[in-house]
């Protein structure tokens, strides 16, 4: 039995509220259970120096957690003068995940920065950030298309992410914090709406896992991502 009472293949409740902030070109508040992330997308008519003049666009991301996103207060990283290694790793993951669904030629020589701020954490913050980040990106690109600034849609395939793991010896979908903290195996699956894999992060955290269990987790991830992509499409319709 899962702590939440959910079935092994059951997602937490997912909600996506678009237009959550006034000024960003695209924004949403994504809630996956008790994990809440504010995602905003900002369009800039510039690109990093390493692709300047190439005609290619760029999508990047930044990630952070509010001090009381967790059950004890975390010190703001700005107060320490540098980002932690976990933060850097997660925001790089978000950026490269989102870029996998973008035609950078069609985007043109501009940059879209997706900011993901965790308001409340209960497991799966990076997955929620990727899933919500795509919605914010979609809304920002819609504005570019409406203004005629891009000719064809540069977003070729939705991107979403979900966690899966082995909890109490059973493969489960969408780990919340009580499961994540005790899971023998923990994984994050980032996929496109068409079912292609972008990245898989898997680790044994106390017990090894078999190929058969890996396949079971893959099937759960495909189910979860398909549900998340449906929620993304409904939110941006």
């Amino acid at each position: 039995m899962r702590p939440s009472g959910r079935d092994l293949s059951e997602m937490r409740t997912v909600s996506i509220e678009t237009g959550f902030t006034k000024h960003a070109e695209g924004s949403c508040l994504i809630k996956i259970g008790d994990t809440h992330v504010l995602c905003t997308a900002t369009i800039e008519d510039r690109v990093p120096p390493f692709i300047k003049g190439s005609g290619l666009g760029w999508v990047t991301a930044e990630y952070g957690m509010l001090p009381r996103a967790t059950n004890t207060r975390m010190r703001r990283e700005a107060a320490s003068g540098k980002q932690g290694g976990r933060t850097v790793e997660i925001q790089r993951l978000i950026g490269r995940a989102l870029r996998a669904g973008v035609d950078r030629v069609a985007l043109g020589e501009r940059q879209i920065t997706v900011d993901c701020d965790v308001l409340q954490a209960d497991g799966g913050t990076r997955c929620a950030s990727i899933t919500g980040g795509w919605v914010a990106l979609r809304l920002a690109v819609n504005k570019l298309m409406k203004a005629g600034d891009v000719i064809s849609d540069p977003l070729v395939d939705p991107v979403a992410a979900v966690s899966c793991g082995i909890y109490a010896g059973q493969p489960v979908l969408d780990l919340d914090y009580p499961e994540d903290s005790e899971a023998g195996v923990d994984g994050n699956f980032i996929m496109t709406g068409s079912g292609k894999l972008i990245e898989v992060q898997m680790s044994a955290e106390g017990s090894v896992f078999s190929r058969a269990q890996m396949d079971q987790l893959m099937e759960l991830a495909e189910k979860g991502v398909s549900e998340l992509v449906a929620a993304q499409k409904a939110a941006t319709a």
Side-chain angles (χ1 to χ4, degrees):
M1 177 66 71
R2 304 179 72 173
S4 62
R6 287 181 287 146
D7 291 336
L8 300 180
S9 62
E10 185 180 350
M11 291 282 296
R12 290 173 287 178
T13 301
V14 178
S15 72
I16 303 173
E17 180 181 349
T18 58
F20 193 76
T21 63
K22 176 179 178 179
H23 300 293
E25 283 78 20
S27 70
C28 76
L29 176 67
I30 183 168
K31 297 180 180 180
I32 301 181
D34 285 333
T35 290
H36 302 171
V37 185
L38 171 61
C39 303
T40 58
T42 301
I43 302 169
E44 298 174 282
D45 289 323
R46 65 179 184 88
V47 292
F50 64 89
I51 59 170
K52 190 172 183 179
S54 67
L56 297 174
W58 188 248
V59 175
T60 189
E62 293 189 12
Y63 169 95
M65 297 181 72
L66 294 186
R68 281 314 304 267
T70 54
N71 59 357
T72 57
R73 186 183 186 276
M74 298 180 298
R75 188 183 185 198
R76 294 182 190 271
E77 291 182 324
S80 63
K82 65 177 182 178
Q83 290 181 312
R86 177 181 181 275
T87 297
V88 172
E89 183 263 326
I90 291 175
Q91 64 188 26
R92 287 177 177 171
L93 170 69
I94 298 167
R96 65 178 177 264
L98 296 178
R99 286 194 296 274
V102 178
D103 180 344
R104 292 169 53 205
V105 174
L107 180 59
E109 203 162 312
R110 58 177 54 85
Q111 174 171 289
I112 301 179
T113 301
V114 177
D115 287 290
C116 302
D117 293 289
V118 179
L119 309 183
Q120 182 171 282
D122 187 44
T125 61
R126 70 187 67 193
C127 293
S129 296
I130 291 167
T131 304
W134 179 263
V135 172
L137 181 62
R138 171 77 273 172
L139 295 172
V141 167
N142 285 350
K143 288 194 174 182
L144 286 173
M145 295 175 65
K146 186 175 182 180
D149 293 330
V150 294
I151 299 171
S152 60
D153 189 354
L155 302 189
V156 295
D157 207 355
V159 173
V162 72
S163 64
C164 299
I166 307 293
Y167 174 78
Q170 296 289 331
V172 298
L173 173 63
D174 187 25
L175 301 169
D176 54 25
Y177 181 74
E179 294 170 333
D180 188 32
S181 61
E182 296 184 14
V185 176
D186 183 19
N188 298 302
F189 296 78
I190 308 166
M191 303 173 69
T192 67
S194 59
K196 301 287 195 333
L197 286 168
I198 297 171
E199 189 158 337
V200 177
Q201 301 177 326
M202 288 287 295
S203 60
E205 311 211 3
S207 63
V208 295
F209 57 101
S210 67
R211 172 62 183 268
Q213 287 175 314
M214 175 70 179
D215 291 342
Q216 289 177 309
L217 295 177
M218 231 359 282
E219 290 178 7
L220 287 174
E222 288 175 344
K223 176 183 182 293
V225 166
S226 68
E227 292 177 14
L228 290 169
V229 169
Q232 289 174 325
K233 290 180 177 178
T236 56

